[in-house]
């Protein structure tokens, strides 16, 4: 009886500690799940974007698209046996919740070592605070309800960074796992490719170990080789896409002056000088999709074999001959991320697709892909009053630009105060969040959905900025007793191994977390 009581008391005590440490986060997590449940009730069918039919087409045919990587199509293909968009949306919302859980776990783990034991609640409270934007942003939840790749991309990228940051000294298998996750994210959205280089650089700075880095590079290369071989089988070219330079051309038309770059006649069809511009439509959108697009002068338009090459030649000429103008548009579109109000950019129709609609409709073009994939779950419906509640929620609860700027500023401060340690644990999430804002502005164009993947990393960097190095107590030195009698062996063995003297405190730390910011040393804990 006494043993049973002691066991029950121990379980109750452990449960109380857990609730004290994580109870607030569990409440916040449950609330975020409830919000997504209401979204599913109000909008039982998926929301559509301009790219959605392309992704579904790839899932139905199991064929890579020429325009963009088809990792999201493979994801939809894996879920196709369920024949239900309800399953797709449920999985996407679950990935959004898990993204918030990973951010919380990393921040809490980074904070707990620097706080006294009797402040058990403090790390969880601070970690919960920075996780709220990840779990409750209305536009993030809407993006999870779209047939789009961004939610899956964010989850895979956060998962890869979590593996990298969990232990500073990584083993080869954790490096291999991180490489796979980062490669999969790049195959979902091509921006993941430069981010892989950012992660490898930060791993080098963090001294993750050459085995882990080598494993990351090797395992990251395998999915790319497999995908490019699949692409070659379908389209005859060993590549990720056939339009990678088209997007860069769209970036440069915002400032390109053909009187300065003087393109060849074959390339001059992409000049926009003298063409009428619609002030309500972004220049890149007009150049790529407008009625007077230069691609429409080529047979096959954007899919013409020479289109990508010619567009790339135009873009590189504009960048090399107008570098100042190129930097100016990158700066302008990066700063857009921190504005208070949202504007209709690149087009009004694009921005409206990021809002939960009042009614629901399904075009014949969308239905052609929707019903073979999702059957009856493809029917466009909005159920009131849940739909009205969701729309009202979206008008109030989302990350405005200045709030994102504040998180980025805190993360930058965390990097600067850790300058002697090259940014410490804050450098990686801050670098990834900054890259997620700058790279699209440099290679494509500004779009509000490009901001959302940066929020988890900005929150992570801000949370880790608050981490403190644990105070380590110095163990008192106890003199060893000295024996006046020195034992002498009477038998001298020739085959006795020679053991070199070992310095005090020297130990094999293989497999141990040597991050001083996270865990006190074993000797100090014993003291």
């Amino acid at each position: 009886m006494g043993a049973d009581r002691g066991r029950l008391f121990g379980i109750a005590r452990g449960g109380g500690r857990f609730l004290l440490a994580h109870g607030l986060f569990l409440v916040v997590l449950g609330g975020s799940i409830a919000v997504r449940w209401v979204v599913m009730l109000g909008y039982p069918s998926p929301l559509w974007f301009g790219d959605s039919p392309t992704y579904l087409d790839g899932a139905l045919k199991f064929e890579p698209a020429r325009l963009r990587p088809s990792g999201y199509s493979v994801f939809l293909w894996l879920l196709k046996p369920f024949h239900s968009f309800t399953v797709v949306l449920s999985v996407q919302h679950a990935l959004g919740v898990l993204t918030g859980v990973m951010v919380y776990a990393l921040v809490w783990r980074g904070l707990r070592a620097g706080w006294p034991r009797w402040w058990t609640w403090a790390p969880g409270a601070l970690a919960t605070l920075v996780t709220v934007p990840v779990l409750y942003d209305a536009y993030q939840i809407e993006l999870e309800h779209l047939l789009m790749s961004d939610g899956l991309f964010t989850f895979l990228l956060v998962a890869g960074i979590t593996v990298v940051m969990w232990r500073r000294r990584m083993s080869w298998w954790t490096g291999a796992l991180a490489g796979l996750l980062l490669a999969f994210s790049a195959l979902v959205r091509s921006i993941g490719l430069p981010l892989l280089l950012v992660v490898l650089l930060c791993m080098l700075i963090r001294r993750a170990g050459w085995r882990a880095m080598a494993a990351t590079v090797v395992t990251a290369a395998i999915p790319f080789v497999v995908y490019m071989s699949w692409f070659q089988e379908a389209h005859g070219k060993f590549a990720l896409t056939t339009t990678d330079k088209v997007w860069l051309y769209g970036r440069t038309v915002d400032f390109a002056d053909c009187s300065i770059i003087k393109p060849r006649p074959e390339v001059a069809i992409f000049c926009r000088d003298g063409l009428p511009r619609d002030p309500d439509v972004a220049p890149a959108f007009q150049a790529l999709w407008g009625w007077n697009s230069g691609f429409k002068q080529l047979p096959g338009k954007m899919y013409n074999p020479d289109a990508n090459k010619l567009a790339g030649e135009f873009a590189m000429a504009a960048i090399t001959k107008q570098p100042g103008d190129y930097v100016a548009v990158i700066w302008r579109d990066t700063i857009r991320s921190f504005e208070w109000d949202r504007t209709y950019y690149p087009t009004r129709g694009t921005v409206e697709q990021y809002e939960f609609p009042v009614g629901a409709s399904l075009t014949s073009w969308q239905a052609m892909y929707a019903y073979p994939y999702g059957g009856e779950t493809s029917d466009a419906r909005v159920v009131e009053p849940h739909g009205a509640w969701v729309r009202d929620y979206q008008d109030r609860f989302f990350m405005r630009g200045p709030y994102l700027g504040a998180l980025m500023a805190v993360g930058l401060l965390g990097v600067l105060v850790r300058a002697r340690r090259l940014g410490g644990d804050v450098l990686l999430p801050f670098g990834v969040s900054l890259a997620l804002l700058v790279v699209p502005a440099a290679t494509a164009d500004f779009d509000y959905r490009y901001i959302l993947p940066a929020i988890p990393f900005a929150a992570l960097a801000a949370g880790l900025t608050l981490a403190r190095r644990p105070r380590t107590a110095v163990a008192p030195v106890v003199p060893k007793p000295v024996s006046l009698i020195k034992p002498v062996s009477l038998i001298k063995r020739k085959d006795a191994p020679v053991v070199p003297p070992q310095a005090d405190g020297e130990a094999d730390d293989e497999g141990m977390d040597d991050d001083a910011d996270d865990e006190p040393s074993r000797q100090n804990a014993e003291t």
Side-chain angles (χ1 to χ4, degrees), residues 19-54:
L19 289 178
L20 181 62
H22 306 292
L24 179 60
F25 176 70
L26 293 177
V27 172
V28 171
L29 182 66
S32 70
I33 296 173
V35 171
R36 286 165 171 81
W37 176 254
V38 176
V39 170
M40 291 291 292
L41 293 176
Y43 292 85
S45 57
L47 302 179
W48 290 73
F49 195 77
D51 302 338
S52 301
T54 304

Side-chain angles (χ1 to χ4, degrees), residues 418-434:
R418 293 167 174 79
R420 295 178 65 180
R421 290 183 284 145
L422 300 178
D425 290 336
V426 184
L427 179 63
L428 178 53
F430 177 79
V432 171
S433 63
L434 183 62

Side-chain angles (χ1 to χ4, degrees), residues 180 183-184 187 216-228:
L180 286 174
F184 291 154
L187 294 176
T216 301
V217 173
V218 171
T219 55
I222 293 173
F224 284 112
V225 173
V226 173
Y227 182 88
M228 294 167 74

Side-chain angles (χ1 to χ4, degrees), residues 309-331:
K309 177 182 177 182
L310 297 175
E313 182 179 336
F314 182 97
M316 292 309 299
I319 292 171
T320 54
K321 295 186 178 180
Q322 297 179 256
D325 296 327
Y326 180 54
V327 173
V329 296
I330 295 175
W331 173 260

Side-chain angles (χ1 to χ4, degrees), residues 452-510:
L452 296 174
I455 293 177
F457 298 100
L460 178 57
L464 292 178
T465 297
L466 305 176
R468 301 184 302 174
R469 304 190 76 173
R471 294 182 180 180
T472 56
V474 179
V477 179
V478 180
K480 298 180 180 179
V482 180
S483 176
L484 299 178
I485 302 175
K486 184 177 181 181
V488 180
S489 175
L490 300 178
I491 302 175
K492 185 176 181 181
R493 295 178 57 186
K494 294 182 179 180
D495 58 344
V498 179
V499 181
Q502 188 176 24
D504 292 341
E506 182 179 343
D508 181 14
D509 62 349
E510 182 67 27

Side-chain angles (χ1 to χ4, degrees), residues 324-339:
D325 296 327
Y326 180 54
V327 173
V329 296
I330 295 175
W331 173 260
R332 181 201 68 194
D333 284 348
T334 301
I335 294 301
R336 285 182 193 266
S337 304
F338 308 115
E339 294 176 350

